[in-house]
Amino acid sequence: MSQKEFVKPVGLETPYRLFNLGGTAFVESKQGDDLDIMPASWNCPLDYDKMTVVIDSTHYSRKLIEASEYILLAVPGMGIQKEILYLGSVSKNDNPNKIADSGLKFFTLPDCDFPLPKDALHGQSLS
């Protein structure tokens, strides 16, 4: 049984169902084939249908977000602690192979432009 069988969309109008104050979220950004993923603790529902994520302007992810205007948010599971710590301590500004070096595994779904991290709860892509 694969993780794909358990994936159900969480509508853009209900992000509060997955995210709460103080939890770490994966912020995935993509522009063309350039992908980055980073853990961020400064994220929370702003309202019932809005999320707030704070990403410093020096982060590699920020330039991808500004170029594409889309992100994917996911809640990492406890089984990928090593990958979370690696992705949070290494910048793609310094290591272009950051994602491959982290060991994080992904899967894909039809109609989703982002690869989805395995062992995480997934929101939808947001603009």
Side-chain angles (χ1 to χ4, degrees):
M1 200 174 289
S2 76
Q3 187 172 357
K4 290 181 185 183
E5 296 175 49
F6 299 101
V7 174
K8 293 184 180 178
V10 174
L12 293 177
E13 68 282 357
T14 56
Y16 61 88
R17 290 183 179 176
L18 285 179
F19 300 94
N20 57 37
L21 298 173
T24 297
F26 273 145
V27 178
E28 193 171 336
S29 52
K30 182 179 174 202
Q31 174 65 20
D33 292 334
D34 196 2
L35 174 74
D36 196 20
I37 186 166
M38 62 175 278
S41 296
W42 287 24
N43 71 85
C44 68
L46 179 62
D47 202 346
Y48 288 106
D49 61 349
K50 296 177 180 72
M51 286 291 297
T52 300
V53 180
V54 178
I55 301 169
D56 188 86
S57 61
T58 61
H59 287 270
Y60 191 88
S61 293
R62 175 76 176 261
K63 83 172 188 179
L64 297 178
I65 293 166
E66 289 177 352
S68 72
E69 298 182 352
Y70 285 93
I71 62 173
L72 181 124
L73 296 178
V75 179
M78 292 298 292
I80 53 175
Q81 292 175 358
K82 181 183 79 160
E83 292 87 344
I84 296 166
L85 290 171
Y86 183 85
L87 291 165
S89 61
V90 175
S91 172
K92 199 166 177 186
N93 286 318
D94 302 323
N95 179 1
N97 297 315
K98 165 188 161 177
I99 296 171
D101 292 350
S102 75
L104 186 65
K105 305 290 186 229
F106 294 89
F107 66 97
T108 59
L109 290 175
D111 300 325
C112 183
D113 292 336
F114 289 88
L116 302 170
K118 287 189 176 180
D119 298 319
L121 299 173
H122 305 96
Q124 287 188 335
S125 58
L126 307 171
S127 64

